[in-house]
Amino acid sequence: MIRNSVVAKLWLTIIGLVVIVLTLLSVFLEQLFDSYFYKTHADELVKKADYIHQLILNEPDRDLAMRVANLLAAESNSHILITGPLDVETKDVLKNLPKEEQDQLKNGNPVVERDLNVRTKLRTDTENIWVIFPLTVNDTFHGLLLMNQPITVTQDAIVKIRDLILFAAGLGIVLATGLAFVVSKNLSRPLIQMNRVAERMAEGDFHGKVNVVTQDEVGQLGMTLNALAYKLEDTINHLSKEKEQLAGILTSITSGVVSADLNGHVILANPPAKRWLRSLWIQGTGRADEQRLPQELWELEQLVLQKRQVHEVEQVWKGRSIAITMTPLYEPGEEIVRGVVAVFRDITEEKTLDRLRKDFVANVSHELRTPLAMMQGYSEALIDDFGDDPEQRRELAQIILDETHRMRRLVNDLLDLAQLESGQFQMNTSLVDMRSVLKKVGRKFVALAHDNGVELRVSIAEDGSYQVCADADRLEQVFINLVDNALRYTPRGGTVTLEMMQEGNFIRTTVRDTGTGIPPEDLPFIFERFYKADKARTRSKGGTGLGLSIARNIVLRHQGDIVVKSEIGVGTSFIVLLPIAKDTGENGDT
């Protein structure tokens, strides 16, 4: 209890110091007064002894002198004894005196002793003060004058003084105890308050303040603690905001960010990074763990820590290309590495876009090279007056015109596709009856289907609503492209069917053929630009390779969807889903 109390410690310290000081002072005063009274009584006794000494030496009547001397001694409760030079008492006294005092007696000077241990006729049962006077006449030693007085004469006064000192010391201790308690309380009260404020600060509450009432060191400490609480609250609030911002940033970014210590333990990771870590652990060990770096990242961390520089690697995981950038982390203001931070970035789309860009250039070059070569060759033939037959020359000119139309279609398709993908494609929307659109497309291809020996069927369910809010021309372009492709890849004797029905809140339109079909490995890429299932890129069936990509973008712009199903040797089905119009409001442009 006392160890943990500042008040008790301070109070006991003050009391202890006061007790020690007063005790030492009491002892000193007692010794001082004892010495003072002893010296005073000894001086008075010496004076009386000197007077008696003179009386005995100068008074002719020895008996009278002794009677007067005894009366003088009795007044002060003293006793006297005169010894001769050869008496036993004289020899005993001289024997018990130090050499210096013996010399002092030989020189005629008195000696004062306290409680002299000699055998005399005088009373020695109590402590006495002894005065020894040499009796000398004409430098001849005639004996000693012994005079003693009990010490109790001075002891009574010393006892009274001691009692007074003890009373004063006790009173001083009592007063000091109360004063020390008040002082220690006053000093410890702000300290206790500061301790409570500090405990609240340790618990995260910075609203507690120290009540400063003085301007001394304790008051200044209280004001400093108040300022510290204010600054800590401001700093922690600022750090909390920064932490929230950092957490929001880390959570919102799609790239994975993870920080780890020197032992590979994960310190910080955002949700994408945790998913990557769990997946890598499951792939490597079969168990999910997001608290440690997997083996691949642990090895990369060791390389980063060894070389102390940024390292970038690329890994393939589940068909996705992941770029990993790992950087060492240093202690603030020091060159000591405390861990690493790694960023996982999915670059699959970037690589795909780069591949598409390269493929686009190659495809455009390929699509333009053949017609340009043909136009160049036939134009040179016409310039060189190749052939005298006008019909042959007209055939060459027709080929040049057909190739020019083909390049124009290619350029137009590229422009349409660029506008669709950039969101700048203009559509004139209105309330459209999809039955009329489908019938119109069917009528356009009746003759071509007959020439190719293909049966063209149009089937529309009677029940259902077929009103959509769309651009009729663009939808017609979609179905023209689908039917045209179906007729091109359907052999003679085959069938191309156009079906339409309502399916929930959508209109389902299917373009089905009994053609050669599309290989399964080509189906995921069928809507990409310039992609053709015909790997030889034969030009016998025509087409620019952009039609399906344009059709898909137009359908998506109408909040619809388009899917394809195909089986080699059986045929292909393109299914277009368009949302039914909710109302028949005024036409608008988008």
Side-chain angles (χ1 to χ4, degrees):
M1 180 65 182
I2 296 178
R3 291 183 178 179
N4 300 328
S5 175
V6 176
V7 177
K9 289 180 181 178
L10 187 60
W11 179 58
L12 290 178
T13 300
I14 296 175
I15 295 302
L17 290 175
V18 171
V19 170
I20 292 174
V21 170
L22 290 179
T23 301
L24 294 176
L25 182 61
S26 300
V27 173
F28 173 75
L29 289 177
E30 183 180 357
Q31 294 295 328
L32 178 65
F33 282 110
D34 184 61
S35 300
Y36 172 75
F37 282 110
Y38 174 77
K39 186 176 184 305
T40 301
H41 284 77
D43 291 342
E44 291 180 356
L45 201 59
V46 168
K47 289 180 181 180
K48 285 186 178 183
D50 183 43
Y51 180 78
I52 293 172
H53 168 257
Q54 295 296 330
L55 178 63
I56 292 174
L57 292 180
N58 297 325
E59 178 61 42
D61 189 349
R62 186 176 179 85
D63 293 335
L64 177 61
M66 289 301 298
R67 285 196 300 271
V68 173
N70 287 327
L71 290 174
L72 290 174
E75 288 180 355
S76 58
N77 194 23
S78 302
H79 303 86
I80 59 173
L81 176 66
I82 297 175
T83 63
L86 300 177
D87 292 345
V88 176
E89 289 88 351
T90 301
K91 294 179 180 180
D92 194 17
V93 168
L94 293 176
K95 180 181 178 181
N96 286 279
L97 291 179
K99 184 66 171 55
E100 295 82 4
E101 293 183 350
Q102 292 180 16
D103 294 338
Q104 189 175 347
L105 289 175
K106 291 178 181 180
N107 294 330
N109 297 318
V111 174
V112 179
E113 280 290 336
R114 187 167 185 170
D115 197 19
L116 184 65
N117 186 20
V118 294
R119 292 172 295 177
T120 64
K121 297 177 181 179
L122 298 178
R123 182 180 176 185
T124 58
D125 56 344
T126 60
E127 188 177 2
N128 295 276
I129 299 176
W130 291 80
V131 177
I132 306 171
F133 239 101
L135 298 175
T136 57
V137 179
N138 296 326
D139 296 331
T140 302
F141 180 69
H142 292 280
L144 297 174
L145 171 62
L146 301 178
M147 186 176 183
N148 71 344
Q149 184 185 55
I151 202 71
T152 55
V153 176
T154 60
Q155 201 71 18
D156 294 338
I158 293 175
V159 170
K160 292 181 180 179
I161 294 296
R162 183 186 298 118
D163 293 341
L164 183 61
I165 292 174
L166 292 177
F167 173 76
L171 182 61
I173 291 174
V174 172
L175 294 177
T177 300
L179 181 62
F181 182 76
V182 173
V183 171
S184 60
K185 259 301 189 185
N186 291 335
L187 287 177
S188 62
R189 186 180 295 111
L191 296 178
I192 294 174
Q193 188 179 7
M194 292 178 197
N195 182 60
R196 291 173 180 170
V197 171
E199 289 177 350
R200 292 178 62 183
M201 290 170 58
E203 295 173 356
D205 182 8
F206 299 95
H207 298 291
K209 295 295 182 289
V210 179
N211 185 21
V212 179
V213 295
T214 62
Q215 298 298 323
D216 55 6
E217 290 83 356
V218 177
Q220 292 177 1
L221 179 60
M223 290 187 291
T224 303
L225 188 61
N226 290 339
L228 175 63
Y230 173 78
K231 291 185 178 180
L232 277 177
E233 181 179 12
D234 184 65
T235 302
I236 290 179
N237 289 337
H238 182 68
L239 291 176
S240 298
K241 291 180 181 178
E242 288 188 352
K243 184 179 179 180
E244 291 176 359
Q245 292 177 355
L246 179 60
I249 293 173
L250 290 177
T251 304
S252 62
I253 61 177
T254 57
S255 300
V257 180
V258 60
S259 177
D261 60 13
L262 298 177
N263 297 321
H265 294 285
V266 176
I267 301 173
L268 174 68
N270 65 342
K274 291 181 179 179
R275 289 194 297 269
W276 284 109
L277 292 176
R278 286 195 299 266
S279 301
L280 290 174
W281 273 106
I282 292 174
Q283 183 179 3
T285 63
R287 60 184 179 88
D289 188 358
E290 56 186 45
Q291 302 300 323
R292 288 184 57 85
L293 295 179
Q295 185 64 30
E296 305 94 313
L297 298 181
W298 167 251
E299 295 175 355
L300 181 60
E301 180 185 12
Q302 297 307 305
L303 182 62
V304 170
L305 294 177
Q306 180 182 0
K307 297 187 177 181
R308 294 196 174 190
Q309 60 184 4
V310 180
H311 280 268
E312 296 183 1
V313 296
E314 183 177 328
Q315 293 185 354
V316 178
W317 181 79
K318 290 185 177 181
R320 310 289 294 182
S321 298
I322 308 299
I324 303 174
T325 303
M326 187 172 287
T327 306
L329 291 177
Y330 295 91
E331 292 289 349
E334 301 179 10
E335 294 297 327
I336 301 176
V337 179
R338 60 184 178 90
V340 295
V341 60
V343 178
F344 307 94
R345 191 163 54 91
D346 190 344
I347 59 173
T348 305
E349 299 299 330
E350 295 181 13
K351 299 187 72 172
T352 301
L353 290 175
D354 184 62
R355 179 179 59 81
L356 290 176
R357 179 182 59 82
K358 295 178 180 178
D359 291 346
F360 175 78
V361 174
N363 290 329
V364 171
S365 301
H366 180 83
E367 294 293 335
L368 292 177
R369 181 174 58 185
T370 301
L372 286 175
M374 295 179 65
M375 291 172 61
Q376 179 183 358
Y378 290 129
S379 298
E380 290 175 353
L382 290 175
I383 293 174
D384 294 338
D385 294 330
F386 174 78
D388 295 332
D389 186 359
E391 187 64 29
Q392 190 177 17
R393 295 174 65 87
R394 190 180 303 109
E395 183 180 351
L396 294 177
Q398 185 63 43
I399 293 174
I400 294 174
L401 180 61
D402 291 341
E403 294 300 327
T404 303
H405 289 165
R406 175 176 174 77
M407 287 193 299
R408 181 180 179 182
R409 288 196 305 271
L410 176 62
V411 173
N412 289 337
D413 288 345
L414 286 172
L415 290 175
D416 289 343
L417 185 59
Q419 290 178 350
L420 283 167
E421 293 181 346
S422 64
Q424 299 177 353
F425 192 75
Q426 187 72 22
M427 291 196 307
N428 300 316
T429 61
S430 61
L431 199 61
V432 178
D433 188 347
M434 286 300 298
R435 292 173 295 187
S436 61
V437 173
L438 195 64
K439 291 177 181 179
K440 183 178 180 180
V441 172
R443 287 194 298 268
K444 285 186 176 182
F445 285 94
V446 170
L448 180 59
H450 182 270
D451 293 340
N452 291 342
V454 176
E455 181 182 0
L456 180 61
R457 300 174 182 174
V458 178
S459 174
I460 302 175
E462 296 296 334
D463 55 337
S465 174
Y466 298 100
Q467 301 289 325
V468 297
C469 186
D471 187 331
D473 293 337
R474 294 302 176 183
L475 289 182
E476 184 179 342
Q477 180 182 354
V478 170
F479 292 110
I480 287 175
N481 183 278
L482 296 177
V483 175
D484 182 60
N485 285 341
L487 290 174
R488 291 184 184 185
Y489 293 94
T490 301
R492 284 185 173 274
T495 304
V496 174
T497 305
L498 281 68
E499 295 179 347
M500 182 178 290
M501 66 179 68
Q502 181 180 351
E503 193 174 83
N505 295 326
F506 290 86
I507 297 175
R508 173 174 176 158
T509 306
T510 304
V511 179
R512 182 184 303 109
D513 63 56
T514 57
T516 56
I518 302 173
E521 63 271 15
D522 292 330
L523 286 177
F525 311 101
I526 199 67
F527 293 106
E528 291 187 7
R529 292 175 295 183
F530 295 109
Y531 193 86
K532 295 182 179 181
D534 182 7
K535 305 302 182 189
R537 289 188 174 271
T538 59
R539 301 179 51 82
S540 60
K541 298 185 186 313
T544 61
L546 298 174
L548 289 178
S549 181
I550 293 174
R552 180 176 180 273
N553 278 277
I554 292 175
V555 172
L556 293 178
R557 287 292 300 274
H558 285 84
Q559 285 75 50
D561 198 7
I562 181 172
V563 294
V564 59
K565 296 180 180 179
S566 184
E567 185 177 349
I568 296 295
V570 176
T572 303
S573 298
F574 283 90
I575 302 170
V576 178
L577 297 174
L578 294 173
I580 299 174
K582 296 181 180 180
D583 52 46
T584 57
E586 295 182 359
N587 298 346
D589 295 338
T590 61

